[in-house]
Amino acid sequence: MSRVSICLVALSLVPSSTAAQEVVTGTVQGFIQGTPNGQPPRDVRPAAGRSTIRGRVLTVDTGQPMRRATVRITATELRVPRGTLTDADGRYEFRELPAGRYSINASKTAFIDWSYGQTQPSSPGKPLVLADNQVADNIDIGLPRGAVITGRITDELGEPVPNTNVMLVRQQFRQGQRRFVFSGGGTQTNDIGEYRIFGVAPGQYYVSARFQQGPLQNINGVGQSAEGRIGYAPTFYPGTAEATSAQRITVSLAQTISEINIAMLSTRLATVSGTGTDSQGRPITAGGVTLAPRGGVPSFGLGGQFRPDGTFTISSVTPGEYVLRTNAFRPPATPGTPPTPQEVSVAFVTVNGDDVMGVRLTPVVPVIISGRFTFDNANAAQTLKPSAFRPLVQSLDLDANTLVGFVPDGSGPPPAARDDFTFELKTAPGRVAMNVLQIGATAAGQNPWRLKAVRVNGSDVTDTGFDVGGQGVSGVEIELTNRQQQVTGVVTDARGGAVKDYLVVIFAQDPARRIAAVNRYFATARPGDDGSFKAVTLPPGEYYAIALDRADQLELQDPDLLDGLSRQASSFTIAPGDTRTLNLKLFTLQ
């Protein structure tokens, strides 16, 4: 099973030395945080230099040159990425480059994207260090051919179902819950119900088919017959409406898997209709409504538009539990001005084959969370600027789809702490977790301030989150620490030889922490240029560590997988401020 648990991590951000404004950078579970409000730096002119990178893109299986493959390079020194296409001999070249550390990626349809220095589909590439006035030649990249999945989609009588969307779905473990997500691969069936999905990366997948139902319409004033209201439910291979009952298929490099056939399940279609009002009680006259399954089940999406009287209709809805969501804007106070702020309206509906009418969509009223930042090192905190710290809130509801750190009325990022380190921000009611965004609060060479604990009226809610009701929540304490735990080490093979390509997985010994809504007790690390690894984001605790020859990133936090790995892993304990050095043996996954 493939599951991913999302956790929040404290960010350490330093101001740019070249920009006039503060530049916010950092990572949250691998996602890069950009400049304030997502805006790029003002100076986006390509940086010029005297160096060159050139090489070829080849096919892995035959070694033949790959024509018209896309090659992209990125580096901090470039400011903006550069790209080019290979020629008839598979060659590419980038000139006038400044010195720096470059990431190089190649891609082409039907092949798996690959980076320079990459050794496995799930592993990252390695940067190319380019000196001034250097020509880096023979920087070749081999592209492996992706796998192919084929099959046929039929109805309950074995007749083909053309124009059916077929998608690949993967399973994650997110926020302590299982959920399914589209993997990005998909196609439509042809006139005889056949489909072919190509360029598939290795992994474990479910195949989902959904027929694009036509609207339920009246004909000459006469409603549709019972037969006209019958359609197809979203169906997983080999023929089930429940994602949890679907059969998983394992895909390897360049493999062709045939006969993944799905018999669509017939079902009664319904119409969902209602009205939407804004916070002033006025009809919503612009924007639309989306209808998505609850509980993280993947969907191709249904929706409708608001009419001038504020009503909406969504037709061809199959049975299930759904969340209705709309983003609408209040009319502008002055003609010609932007319609702000944004309002989010949500309703939950159950469809069992009959029409659902009279649904009322009303805005979610933001509530206030207030509290204070505290520090476990009072002396080190004396020089800190309160404006460098901002509280982050993340919804733990899979149906909420809330952006981290942004309030539901769209008014912008969370406010900075006040002069006394107290804070106040708006959020939607529901179950949430909290963390901190830190902007330039640490001097160069010093450890960043990281989350130590979150307490609500004295109760520790760091890993569980807490409920925010209609009255909001006060008395939140976000405690920060600059004591950094560090786990380092090397990996050797069965003969004691050094291993240069591996992935170290570190996870909590306590199984309950592996399925927590916020999992801080998990980290991965890859070798650096010297072959050793380092992890610095873990809080104090008891852990297992294991070095793997390969790993599927979506599966790494699967509790069942971790339970199996714990039997082969090394155990250790790390105290506040400790550095632990581990010598791990490479474990080969079967």
Side-chain angles (χ1 to χ4, degrees), residues 244-544:
T244 54
S245 301
Q247 181 176 325
R248 184 173 57 183
I249 61 175
T250 300
V251 177
S252 302
L253 273 176
Q255 182 182 15
T256 296
I257 302 178
S258 305
E259 299 298 322
I260 305 300
N261 304 323
I262 299 176
M264 299 292 288
L265 300 173
S266 62
T267 189
R268 181 176 173 82
L269 304 178
T271 295
V272 176
S273 60
T275 58
T277 57
D278 64 14
S279 57
Q280 305 296 317
R282 300 169 298 192
I284 300 175
T285 59
V289 182
T290 60
L291 186 76
R294 298 192 64 180
V297 178
S299 169
F300 288 88
L302 292 172
Q305 295 294 314
F306 283 108
R307 303 184 185 93
D309 61 354
T311 61
F312 67 88
T313 300
I314 303 174
S315 62
S316 302
V317 182
T318 58
E321 300 283 337
Y322 294 92
V323 56
L324 271 166
R325 183 182 292 108
T326 179
N327 291 329
F329 291 87
R330 297 172 183 160
T334 304
T337 60
T340 57
Q342 188 182 40
E343 293 182 341
V344 179
S345 301
V346 176
F348 299 98
V349 296
T350 299
V351 178
N352 57 16
D354 296 324
D355 291 345
V356 179
M357 299 177 289
V359 177
R360 294 189 62 84
L361 277 166
T362 56
V364 176
V365 178
V367 295
I368 300 230
I369 296 179
S370 61
R372 177 186 300 272
F373 289 111
T374 62
F375 305 87
D376 69 351
N377 187 336
N379 291 332
Q382 288 180 355
T383 60
L384 295 177
K385 295 180 178 180
S387 60
F389 297 90
R390 298 171 184 264
L392 289 178
V393 61
Q394 180 184 12
S395 172
L396 298 181
D397 182 358
L398 291 181
D399 297 319
N401 195 28
T402 303
L403 291 175
V404 177
F406 286 78
V407 296
D409 64 4
S411 60
R418 304 186 183 101
D419 290 344
D420 60 355
F421 285 101
T422 60
F423 63 82
E424 185 176 281
L425 79 163
K426 295 179 181 179
T427 188
R431 192 161 190 85
V432 303
M434 294 202 69
N435 208 307
V436 60
L437 173 66
Q438 178 183 334
I439 306 175
T442 302
Q446 294 182 355
N447 289 339
W449 290 89
R450 299 182 186 276
L451 179 69
K452 182 176 181 180
V454 178
R455 304 180 186 90
V456 176
N457 296 321
S459 298
D460 192 321
V461 296
T462 314
D463 302 321
T464 60
F466 58 98
D467 292 318
V468 179
Q471 302 303 313
V473 173
S474 59
V476 177
E477 177 191 358
I478 301 180
E479 184 181 8
L480 305 179
T481 180
N482 66 344
R483 300 181 71 182
Q484 178 174 278
Q485 295 70 240
Q486 184 169 286
V487 181
T488 65
V490 294
V491 176
T492 56
D493 58 24
R495 297 181 178 180
V499 180
K500 297 296 184 181
D501 186 24
Y502 57 82
L503 177 71
V504 172
V505 182
I506 306 174
F507 55 99
Q509 292 186 28
D510 183 358
R513 282 180 168 167
R514 303 174 201 165
I515 58 174
V518 179
N519 184 2
R520 299 181 297 140
Y521 298 84
F522 179 89
T524 61
R526 291 192 179 272
D529 293 338
D530 61 354
S532 65
F533 68 87
K534 179 188 295 185
V536 296
T537 61
L538 294 166
E542 298 178 332
Y543 293 93
Y544 289 118

Side-chain angles (χ1 to χ4, degrees), residues 61-105:
D61 51 355
T62 65
Q64 295 298 308
M66 188 169 292
R67 176 177 175 271
R68 297 189 66 79
T70 301
V71 182
R72 296 181 177 88
I73 61 172
T74 58
T76 303
E77 294 77 9
L78 279 183
R79 300 190 181 93
V80 292
R82 295 191 191 178
T84 188
L85 295 176
T86 56
D87 63 17
D89 294 322
R91 299 185 184 279
Y92 71 91
E93 184 175 82
F94 294 93
R95 300 179 180 178
E96 299 180 351
L97 299 174
R101 294 170 61 88
Y102 286 82
S103 297
I104 309 169
N105 176 269

